[in-house]
Amino acid sequence: MRLPLALLLTLTPLPPAEAADTGAMDARAEAHAAAVGVPGLAYAVVGPGGVEHAFHTGVDGAGEPVDADTAFLWGSVAKPVTATAALVLAEEGRLDPDAPVGDHLPAFEGRDITVRHLMTHTSGIPERAAFAVADHYGPDAMGLDERVEHLAGVAAAEPGTHAYSSANHLLLGAVIEEVTGDLHGHLREAVLEPAGMDGAFTDAEEARAAGLTPGHRFLWGAPVAGADAGKVDDEGVAFGYLGGTLDDLAAFARLQLDPDPPLLDAQTLAGMREGVVPVPGSAQTYGLSWRETELSGTGEPVVFHGGATPGYAAIVVLLPERDRAVVVAQNAYAIAADGEIQRIAFDLARMLSGTPVEEPAAAWIPPAAAWGATAAALGLGAAAVRPGRGRTRTALGAVGVLAAVASAALLSYLGPRSSLLWIPDLALAVAAGGLLGAVLAVRGLAPLLRGGVRPGPGSRRPRRGSGR
């Protein structure tokens, strides 16, 4: 029978980080950055007493060396931070995790969704619902109330099954805002300051003061720093727009290992990390905004949460049996390479246990997808210029219709705005392919629409005077 994490934390831990070859771990991190194309990376090994080893490599979005003062965005690592802030309110008697969300958000009155459903992603709200309400920047961005109203109108399944969506934590943040009157202030007072996350930032103004530089998105395989890759959604702190230095990220990991934590207590924090619902299609279970599974190759339990924003990625990996954690922050991200980018944290965790790891592989999927779509768009463009005659022209017209429909379907899932933010090269290539496909469809099928297919070479034509 598997022991609960709360009990595991009371057992004698396995050998600590000092037994690991940190030089080999540093070399592995360097090799990862080179293979995947990440310009800047920082990682730390954390124990109950704090950072035991830290490593920085590469440059930030301004070309300056990554060091202890470099700021990163953490993406969905914000989710367990926000859930922790919610449990602080529960401990104070100000929030019931099992109360309906509608008790705090009038737009959700009469719904069966509870606060706990939000923390476990079992509200029934689909993943794609987040695309319309996340990643809004600047003074004209959609406000929190408007985002809540939008989500209230989204068709949702019955609560109970895990379906990961940042919309859940946006709503959790709105609940905290309603209870406290200041989501950002409560996060800082309830979690960031007690945990020692002194350099963490919760909005765009604080990010600028912290020196956050643009992150990197991949354009046809090359990491490129861009203005949109590093902007901060002021209403998105609860689900993804929290950030800070490597030390700040490590401080949140240390909080999970502290036998006498400065907020909540060790048993409550361990209970948050206990997986309570299965994650469909994986060996993971999801707790109160933490993932639990087994670290492959070791047989050890592992608790983690990773995340990303356009241009940044971060992850916290906890090894309860070793009383240690690994945290990693990187300044590049691509959705199609999520596994390759976040893999480094699990490899470093395996190295802590003395388990051999494979050499990092290049993240070929993003450039392959973008270049493939680009090649297809060029082919459609060439066909649109010279669509041929007869049946060939008609067939190419049909291909153009399929390309236009496929392009619209692919871009409609994320939406044009989110597509350009998260997959800019692929989105541009797919959009170009769709447009050229539409041109090809019109040119190829025009003869049919005018009343017939023009005869191709070799077709029989009626002789003059034949009466036909």
Side-chain angles (χ1 to χ4, degrees), residues 23-34 41 43 55 57 344 348 351:
M25 294 173 70
D26 294 351
R28 178 65 182 79
E30 287 270 22
H32 161 83
L41 175 150
Y43 86 86
F55 177 74
T57 186
I344 180 60
L348 294 173
M351 294 177 79

Side-chain angles (χ1 to χ4, degrees), residues 316-340:
V316 175
V317 177
L318 306 172
L319 299 170
E321 289 187 348
R322 293 184 181 275
D323 222 9
R324 291 298 182 276
V326 173
V327 299
V328 182
Q330 303 176 71
N331 63 7
Y333 186 72
I335 289 177
D338 179 84
E340 289 91 343

Side-chain angles (χ1 to χ4, degrees), residues 37-182:
V38 174
L41 175 150
Y43 86 86
V45 176
V46 185
V51 174
E52 297 177 345
H53 176 73
F55 177 74
H56 310 80
T57 186
V59 297
D60 65 15
E64 296 297 323
V66 171
D67 58 25
D69 296 321
T70 300
F72 296 84
L73 280 166
W74 300 341
S76 289
V77 175
K79 290 179 171 69
V81 177
T82 303
T84 304
L87 287 198
V88 170
L89 290 176
E91 183 180 63
E92 296 171 351
R94 302 168 66 188
L95 178 65
D96 179 0
D98 295 307
V101 170
D103 287 357
H104 306 283
L105 305 178
F108 281 83
E109 283 183 1
R111 306 275 286 272
D112 294 331
I113 300 173
T114 67
V115 175
R116 191 179 300 275
H117 285 141
L118 301 179
M119 289 191 280
T120 56
H121 295 272
T122 55
S123 67
I125 297 173
E127 177 188 29
R128 65 178 303 177
F131 301 141
V133 296
D135 312 318
H136 290 268
Y137 312 120
D140 298 326
M142 185 186 296
L144 184 58
D145 290 343
E146 186 180 355
R147 301 186 201 201
V148 171
E149 290 287 342
H150 175 87
L151 291 175
V154 170
E158 287 295 317
T161 301
H162 177 87
Y164 188 87
S165 175
S166 287
N168 289 294
H169 280 69
L170 185 145
L171 293 174
L172 181 61
V175 168
I176 295 173
E177 174 80 19
E178 182 65 24
V179 172
T180 66
D182 183 3

Side-chain angles (χ1 to χ4, degrees), residues 78 82 183-184 187 201-203 233-242:
T82 303
L183 166 62
H184 294 248
L187 284 174
F201 52 82
T202 65
D203 59 32
D233 182 346
D234 285 341
E235 303 295 353
V237 63
F239 64 80
Y241 284 88
L242 179 68

Side-chain angles (χ1 to χ4, degrees), residues 151-422:
L151 291 175
V154 170
E158 287 295 317
T161 301
H162 177 87
Y164 188 87
S165 175
S166 287
N168 289 294
H169 280 69
L170 185 145
L171 293 174
L172 181 61
V175 168
I176 295 173
E177 174 80 19
E178 182 65 24
V179 172
T180 66
D182 183 3
L183 166 62
H184 294 248
H186 177 68
L187 284 174
R188 188 163 297 284
E189 294 173 8
V191 182
L192 304 183
E193 291 178 354
M197 302 163 70
D198 301 326
F201 52 82
T202 65
D203 59 32
E205 183 178 352
E206 291 180 353
R208 283 191 292 271
L212 181 69
T213 60
H216 300 79
R217 291 174 295 180
F218 291 90
L219 300 179
W220 289 273
V224 177
D228 288 337
K231 289 185 177 179
V232 175
D233 182 346
D234 285 341
E235 303 295 353
V237 63
F239 64 80
Y241 284 88
L242 179 68
T245 65
L246 180 68
D247 282 346
D248 297 317
L249 191 61
F252 184 61
R254 179 186 179 278
L255 173 69
Q256 311 305 316
L257 305 173
D258 194 335
D260 185 22
L263 59 104
L264 298 175
D265 56 58
Q267 184 175 1
T268 300
L269 290 172
M272 289 184 65
R273 302 189 295 268
E274 192 78 36
V276 293
V277 294
V279 176
S282 81
Q284 300 173 14
T285 53
Y286 203 88
L288 297 184
S289 304
W290 285 101
R291 299 179 185 273
E292 183 187 11
T293 190
E294 183 179 284
L295 184 63
S296 63
T298 70
E300 295 183 29
V302 63
V303 178
F304 70 97
H305 212 295
T309 63
Y312 279 97
I315 189 168
V316 175
V317 177
L318 306 172
L319 299 170
E321 289 187 348
R322 293 184 181 275
D323 222 9
R324 291 298 182 276
V326 173
V327 299
V328 182
Q330 303 176 71
N331 63 7
Y333 186 72
I335 289 177
D338 179 84
E340 289 91 343
I341 289 173
Q342 299 287 32
R343 172 185 164 184
I344 180 60
F346 298 102
D347 280 353
L348 294 173
R350 292 184 190 97
M351 294 177 79
L352 276 181
S353 68
T355 303
V357 297
E358 297 178 358
E359 289 300 310
W364 59 268
I365 295 176
W371 280 112
T374 301
L378 292 173
L380 289 166
V385 172
R386 302 188 66 174
R389 301 175 62 188
R391 290 184 177 86
T392 299
R393 183 170 188 151
T394 303
L396 287 174
V399 170
V401 170
L402 292 175
V405 171
S407 173
L410 286 170
L411 295 179
S412 66
Y413 185 79
L414 287 176
R417 182 183 59 84
S418 292
S419 296
L420 288 171
L421 274 174
W422 289 95

